[in-house]
Amino acid sequence: MNKWRCNVCGYIHEGDKPPAECPICGVGPEDFVVVKELAAEQQLAVKRWKCTVCDYVHTGDTPPDSCPLCGVGSELFVLLLDEAVKLTREAVAEAGPETANSALDKISYGLYIVTSIKDNTINGQCCNTVFQVTSNPLRVSICLNKNNLTHEYVVASGVFAVSMLGSDQTDAVRRFGYQSGRNVDKFAGIEYIFGKNGCPILKDCLAYIEAKVLPDKTVDIGTHTLFIADVTSGRMVANAEALTYSLYRRSKR
Ligand SMILES: Cc1cc2nc3c(=O)[nH]c(=O)nc-3n(C[C@H](O)[C@H](O)[C@H](O)COP(=O)(O)O)c2cc1C
Ligand SMILES: [Zn+2]
Ligand SMILES: [Zn+2]
């Protein structure tokens, strides 16, 4: 028996063959690879390609023909240059946007499930762009792609909730981050409870907050909208280690 890892979402399948379809993100057997435990140096030797539209990172010698998340072609992928350089005047002179992509990859993020409501229906998505922006008043920002159903719900209701994930909750990232609520009910089989503002909160979160969007402070930034919101409520649920983007990436290798 082998272990097969989905190259797109990181789902692990056990069996002699890869599954006909990934149960999480829907790709076929060609996107599954046999899991080999790579040494740390080998992991660093694997090329990483970043989609410039949705930030999906693909590992392999070449970029994928099309982005499994947003569908754009291989020409919109950039190679992340992980090569480290000594910081000299020449190194600074040679640097440009291509090298900046790898630098930006060093920004650390947490991973969260942002949920919202519209006309008594609920939806949620995985989101790394959640930050506390001020303490007095308590305010956070989130940045959502205009194509996402969650974006539509946040615009419609003006409220959202953020469920913070624990370091072992990578399956929630797969469930909420690689499929749209337009095609599936992401809450089927998930335990949740409604917050005061009506948005669902994952029962096994580490902590959660509820927030109310400040429309006059919301910014259209092209592909995405940056929402600034007042934190109206929130609570610690379990005091454990939080999931970060880098922990999640490591779980996918
Ligand atoms: C690790 C990870 C982080 C993500 N971060 C964001 C984000 O910060 N903003 C965003 O708009 N989408 C982000 N996404 C993509 C959405 O979660 C994804 O497009 C989702 O399918 C949208 O679902 P919806 O259409 O049901 O709202 C992220 C996905 C993953 C896997
Ligand atoms: Zn998958
Ligand atoms: Zn993409």
Side-chain angles (χ1 to χ4, degrees):
M1 190 146 84
N2 277 321
K3 272 192 184 171
W4 301 84
R5 185 184 291 113
C6 172
N7 228 342
V8 175
C9 73
Y11 168 76
I12 301 278
H13 168 89
E14 293 193 8
D16 295 328
K17 291 184 300 179
E21 193 176 90
C22 175
I24 304 293
C25 72
V27 297
E30 66 284 358
D31 280 314
F32 276 79
V33 288
V34 173
V35 176
K36 286 189 245 110
E37 295 314 329
L38 295 180
E41 320 79 76
Q42 282 175 300
Q43 288 191 10
L44 288 175
V46 176
K47 281 190 186 154
R48 300 188 308 130
W49 303 84
K50 182 167 171 175
C51 172
T52 52
V53 175
C54 73
D55 287 350
Y56 167 73
V57 175
H58 167 90
T59 44
D61 281 335
T62 54
D65 292 339
S66 66
C67 176
L69 282 195
C70 72
V72 298
S74 57
E75 70 285 358
L76 287 174
F77 276 78
V78 290
L79 179 63
L80 292 176
L81 306 157
D82 292 322
E83 177 196 35
V85 297
K86 184 155 186 266
L87 195 57
T88 59
R89 252 192 237 188
E90 291 72 33
V92 171
E94 273 166 26
E98 313 77 35
T99 43
N101 268 302
S102 318
L104 287 167
D105 204 51
K106 291 289 179 210
I107 293 183
S108 53
Y109 298 97
L111 288 182
Y112 313 95
I113 305 301
V114 170
T115 55
S116 191
I117 42 164
K118 184 187 177 184
D119 304 332
N120 290 321
T121 59
I122 59 174
N123 192 52
Q125 66 154 84
C126 179
C127 188
N128 66 280
T129 49
V130 177
F131 322 100
Q132 178 175 353
V133 289
T134 58
S135 306
N136 193 11
L138 274 183
R139 281 181 180 163
V140 292
S141 72
I142 58 170
C143 190
L144 302 185
N145 191 306
K146 291 177 185 169
N147 294 328
N148 294 353
L149 186 61
T150 311
H151 182 280
E152 187 181 316
Y153 281 27
V154 172
V155 169
S157 64
V159 290
F160 61 89
V162 181
S163 298
M164 286 65 164
L165 298 175
S167 56
D168 58 349
Q169 288 177 293
T170 50
D171 47 346
V173 174
R174 292 187 193 104
R175 171 184 281 259
F176 285 94
Y178 294 93
Q179 46 187 1
S180 176
R182 291 200 175 86
N183 312 314
V184 280
D185 174 8
K186 295 190 233 183
F187 287 92
I190 290 266
E191 285 201 277
Y192 60 90
I193 189 156
F194 287 106
K196 289 182 188 170
N197 69 8
C199 299
I201 297 160
L202 302 192
K203 267 203 166 172
D204 62 352
C205 66
L206 286 193
Y208 76 88
I209 53 160
E210 299 189 52
K212 187 173 190 317
V213 172
L214 296 159
D216 62 321
K217 295 189 165 41
T218 291
V219 193
D220 179 336
I221 52 171
T223 55
H224 288 59
T225 302
L226 181 69
F227 297 95
I228 310 283
D230 276 326
V231 175
T232 52
S233 189
R235 177 128 245 185
M236 176 80 101
V237 178
N239 207 346
E241 193 192 1
L243 182 60
T244 64
Y245 214 142
S246 66
L247 279 174
Y248 172 64
R249 282 193 192 122
R250 244 177 280 157
S251 82
K252 275 183 71 181
R253 283 212 179 130

